[in-house]
Amino acid sequence: MAIKCDCEQCELRTAFFESFSQDELGIFCSQKADTAYKRGDIIFLEGDEVKNFSYLKSGLVKLYKTGSLGKDQILTIAGPFDFVSLLGVFSESHHTYSVAVLEDSVLCHIDISYMKAIALKNGLYTLNLMQKLSAITNKIILESMDIRKRNTHGKVAFILLKFSKMIYTGPVFELPISRREMAEYLGITTENVIRTMSEFRKERLIRINGREIEIVDQKALEQISSFG
Amino acid sequence: MAIKCDCEQCELRTAFFESFSQDELGIFCSQKADTAYKRGDIIFLEGDEVKNFSYLKSGLVKLYKTGSLGKDQILTIAGPFDFVSLLGVFSESHHTYSVAVLEDSVLCHIDISYMKAIALKNGLYTLNLMQKLSAITNKIILESMDIRKRNTHGKVAFILLKFSKMIYTGPVFELPISRREMAEYLGITTENVIRTMSEFRKERLIRINGREIEIVDQKALEQISSFG
DNA sequence: ATCACTTTATGATAAATATCACTTTCGTGG
DNA sequence: CCACGAAAGTGATATTTATCATAAAGTGAT
């Protein structure tokens, strides 16, 4: 569903479009399309042709790859104003990963040829874009290494703390993904995610009520996350 | 050791500097410095200030992070014409990883402020740069996921095939890194790298002579790499 | 050549993690 | 509201991987 264009309100604008005049912004605006998605929607699949540069205005999505036996690997979870078109968007003609919606989201799609055309004309814009891309990509790589070096307990503690900070609504928050998706993100089995969370619960580090998690002993979790 | 500037011979030039006139290339050339390094040299350390944009003209280097107990994590191995300044170079003021030389190398260093200044003026250059950065970063992320999803056997088979293709000099090649570094790259223990290689040797998939490896049964190794 | 130090190598054992089997709970579509 | 399938949860067991110990071979410095 296409919704009203509101670039002028876009949080990204200051960082990203400071190089545009009001007029240029208008043209840019007419080239792009905001679209609303619902939980479970697929934005694009690995192998699809790259048509747009996309970023997330609101909501939550996952970037993932699907293995041979339907076993997914989650690359990262993207939140508001993260780029969804990350990596190969400027170098590959087809997507190298899939994107699915975790929480109702609004994405802004900009024609990739148009993006490139602007890049040729507006250096400041491109530099800003590159800095933002660089920052996000760097974050993904570092996080991936961060996860890889931890054991199961450390991984689960890490992701719980990550979500609690990312979603922060007080001591209690709603996990945006299932236990299975947590496992696919962390590279461990679903059972071990559940088991480890149960252990944390028994040790009174967290409280669990379905997807609702309360961080009870943040210090201890941080210990486990750093050490494990 | 600074050596003669030879941008005009640079393989990267066609892709990267097609946007430069001969004159501009001259100016660019005077801003940059080629430097030769020896095996074991450190190009820069995690935490060092980002001063240059660097790429590898020849040789082999590793990008890595050092953990709390001297346990390194290798992010990737970079070969000729790979960028060494990858990720945060446009977004971070300090390096987020270290770079060390595996085989005698020549690197080209370009002042990062100068790089940014050009970016503001020359859209084509910046777009080319972004495409190249995008491609390399994408490759790193995909490879990291590729490694993560494999078990020990699959990981070792994967890295042996990778090196054999990367270095290709015939059926026999010289491993560019130690067993310990392989372990740090794959996220497993040194013992398991050695053990797994021994098993491959016993099953007549490879021959081992120190760092010299011969791929005897490539098909079988590829099976193990895909399946494991 | 020798000494000190690292790397390679192998085995035994411990610890971590996956797999399998099964129950309960939850959520959704009919 | 019920039924069905998916998700959450737990235990028993198998498998994988790490850890520890120890030895041999290689490497560099003097």
Side-chain angles (χ1 to χ4, degrees), chain A residues 73-75 87-88 90-91 96 119-120 123-124 126 129-131 134-135 137-138 141 144-145 148-149 185, chain B residues 73-75 87-88 90-91 96 119-120 123-124 126 129-131 134-135 137-138 141 144-145 148-149 184-185:
Chain A
Q73 265 188 300
I74 294 183
L75 173 53
L87 322 155
F90 286 104
S91 57
T96 52
L120 286 176
L124 179 56
T126 313
L129 173 62
M130 190 154 70
Q131 276 172 1
S134 161
T137 310
N138 200 40
I141 293 182
S144 155
M145 295 189 81
R148 201 175 72 175
K149 74 180 175 200
Y185 194 12
Chain B
Q73 264 187 298
I74 293 182
L75 173 53
L87 321 156
F90 286 105
S91 56
T96 53
L120 286 176
L124 179 56
T126 312
L129 174 62
M130 193 154 69
Q131 276 172 3
S134 161
T137 309
N138 201 38
I141 292 183
S144 154
M145 294 189 83
R148 203 176 70 174
K149 75 181 174 200
E184 289 169 352
Y185 194 12

Side-chain angles (χ1 to χ4, degrees), chain A residues 155-173:
Chain A
K155 282 173 178 160
V156 174
F158 177 84
I159 203 179
L160 288 175
L161 289 169
K162 176 197 160 88
F163 284 137
S164 96
K165 281 163 199 158
M166 190 170 170
I167 295 169
Y168 188 74
T169 46
V172 179
F173 68 97

